[in-house]
Amino acid sequence: MIKKATEEVKGWASKNGFEFLSKKESAEKTGFSRTRFYRNHKAGKCHDVISKKSGGSELRVLTYRYRQGNHSGRITAFGLHSGWLRKFPDFLVKPEGFLNAVGEFFGSQDIDFSEHPEFSERYVLKGDEVKLRVAFNKEVLDFFYNVNDALVYEKIDDSLYLYRTRSHDGIEEYSGRLKTLASVASILKKSMEARDSVQ
């Protein structure tokens, strides 16, 4: 099954201008080790890593296979790596749920926006509250609210990741996920430019 998955990824990469980098790679080398998901599921490896570089930016797709106790799982992570992302504050956006409500009861941070209660009801936002209240303007909040999916979005240093933690994305979903990633990056860049123009 793993071999078949690798061949599918190689075929998709070839058709879409991506380079197949590795059948198995360390999470540290791909940058995925910085994500919150990895920190909670460290006993694993990145598989079928593909990459596409353009104008100083790099798109990367990888499958992370892990084992936790008797359970084994996998997720597909989509990443954009670019220097300009360093200017945008780090954040984690994930769907609201029961476990999040429990976390809030015990003091876990969740940034809510009174001016956009719909976003705050649907998502958990974590990060530097002061910086994110400026960076997450109405356009950014509207964007995430309208996407309305079960993805996790994580921005770390010069990287922006999106992934789904409860199920694995198949090859047929790669193009759509990469379009979503590009849309997120575009709206973040507009927010950053709007902020810089005021300062």
Side-chain angles (χ1 to χ4, degrees), residues 79-93:
L80 170 66
H81 312 278
S82 189
W84 69 263
L85 280 164
R86 291 186 184 278
K87 298 179 181 179
F88 200 93
D90 289 354
F91 66 83
L92 173 75
V93 170

Side-chain angles (χ1 to χ4, degrees), residues 188-198:
L188 297 185
K189 197 166 191 177
K190 287 179 182 177
S191 168
M192 185 182 69
E193 290 169 350
R195 179 195 62 193
D196 291 346
S197 67
V198 171

Side-chain angles (χ1 to χ4, degrees), residues 12 18 32 35 50 58-63 75-81 151-154 159-164 168-182:
W12 188 93
F18 278 70
F32 186 65
T35 66
I50 62 175
E58 180 182 5
L59 286 170
R60 190 173 285 176
V61 184
L62 58 91
T63 299
I75 70 164
T76 305
F78 302 84
L80 170 66
H81 312 278
L151 297 173
V152 176
Y153 301 86
E154 198 164 357
S159 300
L160 175 66
Y161 295 95
L162 67 83
Y163 51 88
R164 190 167 50 166
H168 171 66
D169 284 329
I171 200 80
E172 70 280 357
E173 296 175 283
Y174 278 26
S175 294
R177 294 291 187 238
L178 288 167
K179 286 180 182 177
T180 300
L181 183 65

